[in-house]
Amino acid sequence: MKAKKFISAVSALVMTASAMATCVSVSAAGEDVILSGDQIECKAGAKFSLSVNLAELNGEAGQGFSGCEFAIEYDPSMITIDEVVEGAVLKNTNATAAELETSPNIGDEVTMVNKQEYNCFDYNVVKGDGKNTIALLWCTGLESTKYWAKTEGKLLTLNGTVSKDVKADTKIPVKIVPISRDGNEDIIFGYVNGTTDKVYSAAVAQDGLITVVANPPADDDYTKYTPLWGDVNDDGSVSAADLVAMIRYMLDPEEAAVTHQGQVNGNLDQADGNTEFDSPDILGAYDLVLLKKLLVEDITDEIFPVTSR
């Protein structure tokens, strides 16, 4: 398979859309392909993962598809989207690996837009006035249905961050829409197989939605917590998992999501006088050294907290 075959398959699928256009209905009833976005909650300033799911493949669409294209529309003042990751529905086709095996040089012949290495899945972020659109495309030039997508489930995942100044109870839509292009008004799923072109009818059962929830009021009274020394992940025991939790906290306190109780438990070294829950230094390098020693029984928890060095 040459790169031109891959490109022609993409072009044919797009051209077929204009010849066999089927409008995306507000109602998903009776459509071949039904998409659904996750409904999630997230705090302002926090990271999120929101998936777009292939909810149903009906009728002929049950045999699968060799290509699809649609877009995601969102307000960039509310959220940023850092990456788009293909889900199991696309990844489990093994189409990318098969294309590379069939044509090892295809990665040199085809330039990806946002994927660094050759992949049947690619996307492009288009910035607009008050909204951003991510155009998404998955397509294989392989004719064998063995490499078509034919299962329901997670199609792709959007990883991003909610803006820090978004107020609690704000609802942020993440819309699933057609790619805005001359002559195209449709979300496209279909196949190109030899001389046979087919585009299935498609609809969105529900768009993605992020509901911003309030940060719980901080209970910053350090003295009210009774420590279980070393239990950083706050699961009631001390193990190597707590070492992992402490390292993750040191790398990214917000992402690690260690509880106040876990911070108290892990604050083995208090010679630095740091007992501030909002400080990234409450768990530091010396706390890590002490936890390692505790885990290998080089010391006992009777020495904690360490108040001088």
Side-chain angles (χ1 to χ4, degrees), residues 183-216:
N184 179 58
E185 298 178 350
D186 303 285
I187 290 173
I188 300 169
F189 283 77
Y191 63 82
V192 178
N193 188 9
T195 59
T196 303
D197 300 341
K198 173 65 179 179
V199 172
Y200 304 126
S201 60
V204 178
Q206 66 178 14
D207 289 313
L209 184 69
I210 302 171
T211 300
V212 180
V213 295
N215 290 304

Side-chain angles (χ1 to χ4, degrees), residues 273-292:
N274 192 339
T275 57
E276 299 296 325
F277 287 127
D278 60 354
S279 169
D281 300 322
I282 189 172
L283 303 183
Y286 201 61
D287 295 301
L288 186 66
V289 171
L290 291 172
L291 180 55
K292 286 182 177 180

Side-chain angles (χ1 to χ4, degrees), residues 43-103:
K43 299 174 184 176
K47 296 181 182 299
F48 68 84
S49 291
L50 185 148
S51 294
V52 174
N53 308 292
L54 190 53
E56 293 183 31
L57 286 173
N58 301 311
E60 282 189 83
Q63 69 184 312
F65 54 91
S66 64
C68 66
E69 61 157 71
F70 59 95
I72 300 296
E73 189 177 280
Y74 64 97
D75 185 340
S77 70
M78 296 283 192
I79 59 174
T80 58
I81 295 179
D82 305 314
E83 64 173 349
V84 185
V85 182
E86 60 187 316
V89 169
L90 303 179
K91 188 177 294 184
N92 290 347
T93 63
N94 295 316
T96 298
E99 289 194 0
L100 287 168
E101 183 177 354
T102 303
S103 183

Side-chain angles (χ1 to χ4, degrees), residues 29-144:
E31 305 293 347
D32 297 325
V33 178
I34 298 177
L35 300 179
S36 177
D38 281 351
Q39 315 287 290
I40 65 172
E41 294 182 345
C42 189
K43 299 174 184 176
K47 296 181 182 299
F48 68 84
S49 291
L50 185 148
S51 294
V52 174
N53 308 292
L54 190 53
E56 293 183 31
L57 286 173
N58 301 311
E60 282 189 83
Q63 69 184 312
F65 54 91
S66 64
C68 66
E69 61 157 71
F70 59 95
I72 300 296
E73 189 177 280
Y74 64 97
D75 185 340
S77 70
M78 296 283 192
I79 59 174
T80 58
I81 295 179
D82 305 314
E83 64 173 349
V84 185
V85 182
E86 60 187 316
V89 169
L90 303 179
K91 188 177 294 184
N92 290 347
T93 63
N94 295 316
T96 298
E99 289 194 0
L100 287 168
E101 183 177 354
T102 303
S103 183
N105 295 325
I106 193 172
D108 300 323
E109 299 169 353
V110 177
T111 301
M112 307 304 293
V113 180
N114 261 291
K115 289 288 185 180
Q116 299 198 357
E117 297 181 351
Y118 179 77
N119 200 301
C120 293
F121 175 69
D122 205 0
Y123 65 96
N124 184 40
V125 180
V126 181
K127 296 181 179 180
D129 186 14
K131 69 176 181 181
N132 282 4
T133 303
I134 303 177
L136 305 141
L137 172 69
W138 180 84
C139 185
T140 177
L142 298 170
E143 294 181 354
S144 172

